[in-house]
Amino acid sequence: MADLTPLLAFRWSPRAFDPCAELTPDEAASLLEAARWAPSEENGQPWRFALGHRDDENWKRIMVSLPDDDQCWARHAATLVVGAHTGGDAERAAYDLGQAMAHLTLQATALGLHVRQLTRFDQVSLATELHLPVGVRPLVVAAVGRLGDPFALPADLRARETGLRHRRPVTDLLLC
């Protein structure tokens, strides 16, 4: 395997979050600052974020938009981050938002935090619940927190959580 920075090699998207750990204001600010510095077309920065910290009103509004099978573990995350985008070219804006979320995720790893991103949620309901402006489209919810006990998860998730991580070989990713 080619050499990777430890931030990439050790990044992991768990479902087991510590239900008592909190995200400090400085940590939250650091995650958003990392996202702010992500590359974007023409420096348009079409991304927007909403944060909900465990049990505050935004967190509750975000949580109810998630499917039940994700709520069972996401409720232990310290913070839920909604990543949304603006702009006329939705495909490009979504790509740029992905860059910002990747930067946020790597910054979280550098801080000893973990992030699991979700795309299965009720986008319309979430936009309404958070009173998002017209033209701001939520695309991802990221659960952020400190690693918890995988044995606190339901059996099916526990097996996935404690199993070996697998990635496709680079040769599978090349088109030609």
Side-chain angles (χ1 to χ4, degrees):
M1 180 169 79
D3 285 339
L4 286 177
T5 176
L7 288 177
L8 293 172
F10 297 110
R11 184 214 54 80
W12 177 43
S13 300
R15 290 178 186 84
F17 287 98
D18 181 341
C20 298
E22 300 292 331
L23 207 65
T24 69
D26 285 345
E27 289 169 330
S30 180
L31 297 180
L32 295 175
E33 189 66 15
R36 185 172 83 93
W37 283 98
S40 64
E41 182 179 35
E42 300 286 325
N43 197 28
Q45 302 171 32
W47 48 76
R48 301 294 181 270
F49 299 102
L51 272 66
H53 300 285
R54 189 181 301 114
D55 295 328
D56 74 11
E57 287 306 311
N58 274 350
W59 187 90
K60 292 172 187 173
R61 290 180 179 117
I62 298 165
M63 183 61 66
V64 298
S65 76
L66 301 178
D68 291 342
D69 60 335
D70 287 331
Q71 284 185 29
C72 80
W73 60 264
R75 64 190 169 93
H76 296 300
T79 301
L80 297 174
V81 179
V82 175
H85 65 77
T86 65
D89 184 350
E91 191 171 288
R92 182 63 202 205
Y95 174 82
D96 286 350
L97 172 61
Q99 291 271 0
M101 292 303 298
H103 277 61
L104 182 150
T105 299
L106 287 179
Q107 184 66 20
T109 303
L111 295 173
L113 300 168
H114 292 276
V115 176
R116 182 164 193 95
Q117 297 182 32
L118 304 141
T119 57
R120 289 185 320 130
F121 60 93
D122 187 336
Q123 293 179 346
V124 174
S125 172
L126 183 57
T128 301
E129 283 290 324
L130 294 177
H131 309 290
L132 299 182
V134 173
V136 176
R137 180 176 174 224
L139 192 62
V140 63
V141 173
V144 181
R146 287 183 171 65
L147 197 57
D149 180 4
F151 293 98
L153 292 169
D156 60 326
L157 294 180
R158 182 178 335 129
R160 292 167 61 186
E161 192 84 353
T162 57
L164 293 175
R165 292 173 57 197
H166 296 282
R167 291 288 191 211
R168 290 180 178 191
V170 170
T171 56
D172 286 0
L173 306 177
L174 295 173
L175 296 172
C176 48

